Amino acid sequence: MARYDAKESEKHWQAVWDQRQCFVAPNESTRPKCYVLEMFPYPSGRIHMGHVRNYTMGDVLARFRRAQGYNVLHPMGWDAFGLPAENAAREKGVNPRDWTYANIATMRGELKRMGLAIDWSREFATCDPDYYAQQQRLFIEFYKAGLVYRAEADVNWDPVDGTVLANEQVIEGRGWRSGALVERKKLSQWFFKITEYADELLSALDRLDRWPDKVRLMQKNWIGRSEGLRVIFDLSNGSRVDIFTTRPDTLFGASFVALSPDHPLSQRLGEKDSKIAAFIESCHRLGTSEAAIETAEKMGYDTGITAAHPFAPEWKLPVMIANFVLMGYGTGAIFGCPAHDQRDLEFARKYDLPVLPVVIPDGSDAKTFEVGDEAYVGPGHLANSRFLDGMSVEEAKNEVARRLEAEGRGKREVNYRLRDWLVSRQRPWGCPIPMIRCGKCGLVPVKESDLPVLLPDELQFKGAGNPLDSHPTWKHVDCPQCGGRALRETDTCDTFVDSAWYFARFCDTTAEGPVSRKAADYWLPVDQYIGGVEHAILHLLYARFFTRGLHRLGYTDVDEPFAGLFTQGMVCHETYKGSDGQWLAVGEIEKRDGKAYLKGSDLEVTIGRSEAMSKSKKNGVAPEGIVDLYGADTIRWFMLSDSPPERDIEWTNEGAEGCWRFVQRIWRLIEEAKDLPPPRTPVASVDGEALELRRATHRAVAAVTDDLENLRFNRAVAQIYTLANAIGTAPPSIPGAVRREAVETLVLLIDPMMPHLAESCWQALGHEALVVDEPWPKADPDLVRQDVITIAVQVNGKLRGTIEMARGAEKSSVESAALALEPVARALDGKPPRRVVVVPDRIVNIVA
RNA sequence: GCCCCUGUGGCGGAAUGGUAGACGCGGCAGACUCAAAAUCUGUUGCCUUCACGGGCGUGCUGGUUCGAGUCCGGCCAGGGGCACCA
């Protein structure tokens, strides 16, 4: 019997599918639609195991839905702008465009070898001028709709590279590439007004019931809604300052007012007072990185100005400038209540300000209650607070708000942690922001007829700064409005903009505008989106925002882009370290008797814990090699087996070999069955072992269907093993038609997961048609249902035996059968049972 | 610091409050073979027993229940998210 030749078979079937255009999705159909999408890859060079896992899961779902009769859209594209191309350009002297498209060509080939059911006719890369031209159109339309603006912002500035850095690119206060100390710098930047949708982005999370709770929670925290009160304080210099607080109840515990160093008042004071200016400057020298914040000490500067307490004008509070007050949140000013806020407490202890408790835990005495090193933030009743005394925290909050609102000195307000999305990047390999700055007319969008703003063909990467900015001619243009000399914006879009609407473009990649309304109405929202949890906030939040923008502009009537979201786990592998403590690559070691040695030597190597495959730990295994060795179906099967899809999976050679053995085993089962008569004959009523195989077949159909519906791939795999085992152990005497039914069903069930093998098996079984065009099998409920049920019998909750009973047997007969069991009698030791609990068709528990 | 998730055999993991360990990997024994590979069969939580059997088992600890891996409280451990957000 010939072994299954995966290499030959996979190449063949991929060509057949391609030639018959099996996976090209029409934009109109009488069938129901299903849009399955995996997060598109960055073309870094080669696909890795994470891609394989991600795209296999999506592919299984796409093929499953297709078999169920859906018109399935399953596209693929490339998130192609970004830094690695620039780095390659700098390091290797190549053009970032050439580098990117070469990578895409390589990776497209690798994905095609996976046998993915993708509509390749819709493929695009975000660096295609066709795509980013549409994005520029959207940018201008968003601008005209008031969703884009330009403003000054504090950013991490790397003075050596001459560019803005993201927070993640600042390591211990230094730029990750240059090593230069990062400065805080105010720069004019472009923003998307995502905060306009803050409340909606938050409240709509409740309706995303096919999203993981974890992701919804992370977004909720990120948006960070908090309700509070804006309060006006009159200052001794005749001006006033607004503060925001979520704890108006603690107003009588106030001991200072603190301003952000960037607060307009601080700035004004700094202009007149050089000491204040110097203090503000020292605050700015601190980085904005987490590490810098964590270690930063509270610093304050007394302005000499005082603020009048809103309920007691004679009560004067010092007005400080404090480094821990952020301009970007609330009003950039706070009142400090040291007894009930940890930061305020640390600040007060340092500058020797009063600490007066005003919320007393119930059961404590206001006279003796003291605050030590920790502020009291729990519940309690008010004290030392005049008309609030005795109230609960909630009552006091309301009372303060009510009084101050009545006096016009306060206003209930909602604040969000979410900031507007800064999209400017001083990077040349991105979508140019289609705006022009004119000395006379200000900001002017590029004229529709002048779009797209194309990137120059050649970019010079020598020297610091943005090559677009230093390009001799690119930025010099005429103002579209007045015709005078003007400057083109040289910033490009954050690459997260590119990925914020690509799913909408897939609906019709030939649309004249950015998105075809008709196609979007048909396909959106994406029914199932699959990707890594690392995008739980940024990408997914931006895409939700963009979809609302598209809605506002009339391109779609949906608000939420992804009806279902699944976040898959990472692919891990054990790690190896040599005696010098350096990481060793998987290919550099060999394993003998569970120990690892340097390849070709007796030098033992330390085996470290299993971690996500990464370049730095050298624990990656290239998918290409595995596909060469075993074929795509084996690697696909591995990715679906064992680990639940949302959890991490560990790649092992043994596991891969096991999958490959299973591929061969299925092939053998089919070879043995292929001459069985006659194909797909109705199976007459049978009994005994033949009936058991029929039952196993239909149970497998029911279970696999249910598992795939719910993306429980690992369980579907286990069900298929169970069916294969049942076929393998069924006696030769059973009718051929029964075996054939089982075998054909097995092929239909494995098809979404191992599509090439399934086609070869289907052909071997004598079918002319492709299995990919076969409908999904249906389970016969009569065969799924068990007529004889094994009921467990417990004594005091401990299993003592089992009885076989007909489905729906009378309680009394079940009870007497249970009591008749010998081990039950032994356990009862002659005493009558105190109680017998009979759960029909399930269990009997005898209480002794 | 705040919020969230996860703890089950040697390993990955199954299990609507109802027979814990399905299925896979690995191990052990056997068949086939001159031999090996491949394949097939059996076996495989721990302790105890010649055996029949018995006892113990889902991180620890209480509780609810006829019955808890599953529900509730308190710990411990690991992982993740957010973090001067007023």
Side-chain angles (χ1 to χ4, degrees):
Chain A
M1 193 184 294
R3 311 203 82 192
Y4 174 67
D5 184 344
K7 206 169 270 183
E8 184 95 346
S9 154
E10 293 182 355
K11 211 166 117 192
H12 172 71
W13 294 117
Q14 284 163 20
V16 170
W17 296 328
D18 201 38
Q19 183 219 325
R20 299 202 192 179
Q21 305 208 341
C22 290
F23 310 119
V24 173
N27 271 1
E28 277 177 47
S29 171
T30 51
R31 291 172 291 157
K33 71 96 182 179
C34 184
Y35 187 175
V36 178
L37 184 67
E38 302 95 59
M39 292 180 184
F40 66 164
Y42 177 78
S44 55
R46 305 208 152 257
I47 63 165
H48 53 69
M49 286 293 186
H51 293 128
V52 173
R53 194 175 191 205
N54 193 180
Y55 300 134
T56 299
M57 288 180 192
D59 201 54
V60 170
L61 190 68
R63 286 175 178 272
F64 172 59
R65 291 297 184 212
R66 195 172 172 282
Q68 284 182 315
Y70 289 89
N71 180 28
V72 172
L73 174 56
H74 187 217
M76 181 59 70
W78 309 94
D79 189 12
F81 278 131
L83 270 172
E86 292 181 37
N87 295 340
R90 271 201 192 82
E91 285 155 23
K92 298 174 195 155
V94 295
N95 185 311
R97 177 184 293 111
D98 299 341
W99 183 86
T100 302
Y101 281 109
N103 287 348
I104 287 174
T106 306
M107 291 171 73
R108 182 192 301 116
E110 290 176 328
L111 288 182
K112 288 199 167 179
R113 286 190 66 196
M114 295 284 308
L116 302 174
I118 281 169
D119 181 354
W120 286 101
S121 73
R122 295 176 191 249
E123 175 192 359
F124 63 78
T126 55
C127 66
D128 293 345
D130 277 353
Y131 183 79
Y132 74 72
Q134 301 292 355
Q135 185 161 304
Q136 289 171 343
R137 246 185 231 186
L138 277 180
F139 190 97
I140 291 169
E141 289 182 34
F142 271 47
Y143 178 72
K144 290 178 176 165
L147 289 171
V148 170
Y149 66 94
R150 192 175 166 85
E152 291 228 305
D154 278 327
V155 292
N156 299 300
W157 177 256
D158 183 324
V160 171
D161 277 357
T163 184
V164 161
L165 294 179
N167 275 345
E168 307 80 59
Q169 292 161 348
V170 180
I171 297 153
E172 290 174 358
R174 292 171 182 274
W176 66 316
R177 279 183 59 84
S178 68
L181 274 174
V182 165
E183 298 166 7
R184 285 182 79 185
K185 199 166 174 177
K186 246 189 177 38
L187 279 180
S188 210
Q189 303 280 303
W190 288 99
F191 289 87
F192 278 116
K193 213 168 178 182
I194 191 170
T195 53
E196 186 161 322
Y197 291 101
D199 211 25
E200 216 186 291
L201 288 168
L202 180 69
S203 59
L205 287 173
D206 291 336
R207 298 192 293 275
L208 293 174
D209 54 350
R210 290 203 295 121
W211 279 42
D213 290 343
K214 180 171 72 168
V215 173
R216 290 195 282 174
L217 186 68
M218 281 163 70
Q219 293 216 352
K220 185 178 172 225
N221 291 339
W222 186 265
I223 295 168
R225 184 180 198 273
S226 57
E227 289 178 14
L229 192 69
R230 178 190 279 257
V231 183
I232 299 167
F233 278 76
D234 289 321
L235 303 183
S236 57
N237 67 354
S239 64
R240 47 171 263 198
V241 66
D242 286 17
I243 64 95
F244 175 74
T245 179
T246 55
R247 294 296 303 272
D249 54 305
T250 63
L251 205 47
F252 287 102
S255 55
F256 62 94
V257 166
L259 308 173
S260 163
D262 301 310
H263 194 278
L265 180 57
S266 309
Q267 297 289 312
R268 274 208 308 284
L269 294 169
E271 281 162 24
K272 281 180 263 172
D273 184 330
S274 61
K275 280 186 189 157
I276 291 180
F279 176 77
I280 292 172
E281 186 52 37
S282 72
C283 291
H284 284 172
R285 271 200 298 277
L286 287 168
T288 49
S289 70
E290 278 183 26
I293 287 164
E294 209 169 326
T295 51
E297 217 178 300
K298 303 274 178 292
M299 290 200 304
Y301 188 92
D302 192 340
T303 61
I305 299 171
T306 60
H309 192 282
F311 284 126
E314 71 288 353
W315 181 356
K316 305 295 186 193
L317 302 166
V319 176
M320 318 277 289
I321 298 172
N323 66 340
F324 68 92
V325 182
L326 306 174
M327 193 57 221
Y329 187 80
T331 62
I334 60 161
F335 85 84
C337 176
H340 305 294
D341 182 288
Q342 192 59 32
R343 290 155 308 174
D344 296 350
L345 182 64
E346 284 167 28
F347 190 77
R349 294 285 189 228
K350 183 163 176 185
Y351 293 100
D352 205 22
L353 296 160
V355 179
L356 176 68
V358 289
V359 177
I360 312 299
D362 292 328
S364 292
D365 186 348
K367 291 195 186 71
T368 56
F369 183 72
E370 274 185 29
V371 167
D373 289 339
E374 274 188 37
Y376 178 71
V377 294
H381 56 276
L382 274 285
N384 305 318
S385 297
R386 307 190 185 186
F387 52 83
L388 299 176
D389 282 358
M391 287 185 188
S392 72
V393 167
E394 275 315 300
E395 287 165 343
K397 277 182 182 175
N398 282 325
E399 180 61 14
V400 169
R402 192 186 63 77
R403 287 201 188 212
L404 288 180
E405 281 190 324
E407 291 173 26
R409 306 186 59 81
K411 192 170 186 333
R412 283 179 231 247
E413 216 174 70
V414 175
N415 257 293
Y416 297 92
R417 214 189 69 99
L418 182 71
R419 311 290 168 74
D420 276 337
W421 175 15
L422 193 168
V423 295
S424 320
R425 293 292 179 270
Q426 291 72 45
R427 295 289 183 186
W429 187 234
C431 168
I433 291 176
M435 300 294 288
I436 288 166
R437 276 178 282 169
C438 172
K440 266 186 262 173
C441 312
L443 298 169
V444 186
V446 172
K447 263 194 284 187
E448 170 89 35
S449 56
D450 290 341
L451 288 178
V453 178
L454 293 172
L455 290 165
D457 286 333
E458 296 298 330
L459 290 163
Q460 281 299 328
F461 282 91
K462 292 192 188 87
N466 183 353
L468 289 180
D469 201 43
S470 50
H471 191 278
T473 56
W474 193 74
K475 70 178 171 184
H476 299 287
V477 289
D478 296 336
C479 170
Q481 206 157 296
C482 69
R485 290 171 66 86
L487 287 178
R488 186 187 289 300
E489 174 61 76
T490 58
D491 285 356
T492 56
C493 291
D494 180 2
T495 56
F496 278 108
V497 178
D498 311 341
S499 55
W501 69 285
Y502 77 109
F503 50 87
R505 183 70 187 167
F506 273 140
C507 296
D508 183 354
T509 52
T510 64
E512 264 184 56
V515 176
S516 151
R517 173 66 196 245
K518 193 171 166 229
D521 281 348
Y522 179 64
W523 288 114
L524 293 183
V526 173
D527 294 277
Q528 186 65 57
Y529 197 37
I530 308 179
V533 74
E534 66 273 17
H535 294 110
I537 295 171
L538 295 168
H539 162 58
L540 290 167
L541 197 59
Y542 297 150
R544 296 181 64 217
F545 161 69
F546 238 81
T547 304
R548 283 167 169 78
L550 292 174
H551 188 173
R552 185 187 282 197
L553 298 173
Y555 286 115
T556 175
D557 66 351
V558 302
D559 282 327
E560 287 296 337
F562 312 120
L565 172 71
F566 190 86
T567 54
Q568 99 271 5
M570 290 179 295
V571 182
C572 299
H573 193 277
E574 57 185 19
T575 49
Y576 309 102
K577 265 187 183 176
S579 50
D580 55 356
Q582 297 293 305
W583 299 107
L584 288 169
V586 178
E588 293 176 285
I589 65 114
E590 62 186 3
K591 292 184 93 177
R592 299 193 291 265
D593 304 325
K595 288 181 177 171
Y597 300 89
L598 204 60
K599 206 167 218 168
S601 81
D602 286 329
L603 291 170
E604 201 178 334
V605 164
T606 314
I607 301 179
R609 52 179 267 185
S610 182
E611 297 192 63
M613 288 185 179
S614 72
K615 270 189 191 149
S616 61
K617 302 214 167 77
K618 293 189 174 179
N619 62 338
V621 174
E624 275 295 279
I626 305 299
V627 175
D628 285 342
L629 199 57
Y630 302 118
D633 285 336
T634 295
I635 199 170
R636 290 170 62 115
W637 188 250
F638 183 100
M639 287 302 170
L640 301 164
S641 305
D642 293 354
S643 288
E646 68 278 9
R647 268 199 237 172
D648 290 351
I649 191 171
E650 187 180 349
W651 178 267
T652 62
N653 284 336
E654 293 78 9
E657 279 166 25
C659 293
W660 181 73
R661 278 200 299 270
F662 186 62
V663 167
Q664 296 298 340
R665 193 166 142 220
I666 291 204
W667 183 244
R668 273 196 312 276
L669 284 177
I670 273 46
E671 288 272 291
E672 286 161 12
K674 69 180 179 187
D675 297 325
L676 289 174
R680 321 216 81 194
T681 314
V683 181
S685 65
V686 289
D687 55 12
E689 281 159 321
L691 181 60
E692 279 315 304
L693 184 58
R694 290 210 72 202
R695 286 190 183 284
T697 302
H698 286 263
R699 272 202 307 271
V701 171
V704 171
T705 305
D706 188 49
D707 287 335
L708 291 186
E709 289 280 357
N710 294 290
L711 307 178
R712 294 185 299 238
F713 303 113
N714 57 320
R715 297 213 315 198
V717 163
Q719 300 293 351
I720 288 171
Y721 273 114
T722 306
L723 177 58
N725 290 344
I727 296 171
T729 54
S733 58
I734 62 163
V738 171
R739 188 182 293 275
R740 186 165 189 108
E741 182 196 29
V743 162
E744 294 207 340
T745 303
L746 179 68
V747 173
L748 292 170
L749 292 181
I750 63 164
D751 176 59
M753 307 184 194
M754 299 194 282
H756 313 88
L757 174 65
E759 292 290 3
S760 288
C761 291
W762 202 245
Q763 191 181 51
L765 287 167
H767 295 282
E768 297 282 327
L770 297 183
V771 71
V772 76
D773 290 327
E774 289 294 318
W776 190 249
K778 282 200 166 53
D780 179 345
D782 288 338
L783 289 166
V784 174
R785 208 185 308 115
Q786 291 283 15
D787 293 328
V788 177
I789 295 169
T790 307
I791 295 177
V793 180
Q794 301 178 332
V795 176
N796 290 335
K798 235 183 259 291
L799 183 71
R800 292 297 166 180
T802 58
I803 48 176
E804 302 271 306
M805 299 298 288
R807 158 181 293 280
E810 286 291 320
K811 271 193 178 192
S812 54
S813 59
V814 174
E815 181 173 334
S816 49
L819 287 168
L821 281 179
E822 196 274 330
V824 170
R826 207 179 327 136
L828 284 174
D829 199 20
K831 293 177 206 111
R834 285 200 297 165
R835 184 177 163 189
V836 180
V837 180
V838 179
V839 183
D841 295 340
R842 280 214 171 270
I843 202 163
V844 179
N845 191 14
I846 297 156
V847 186

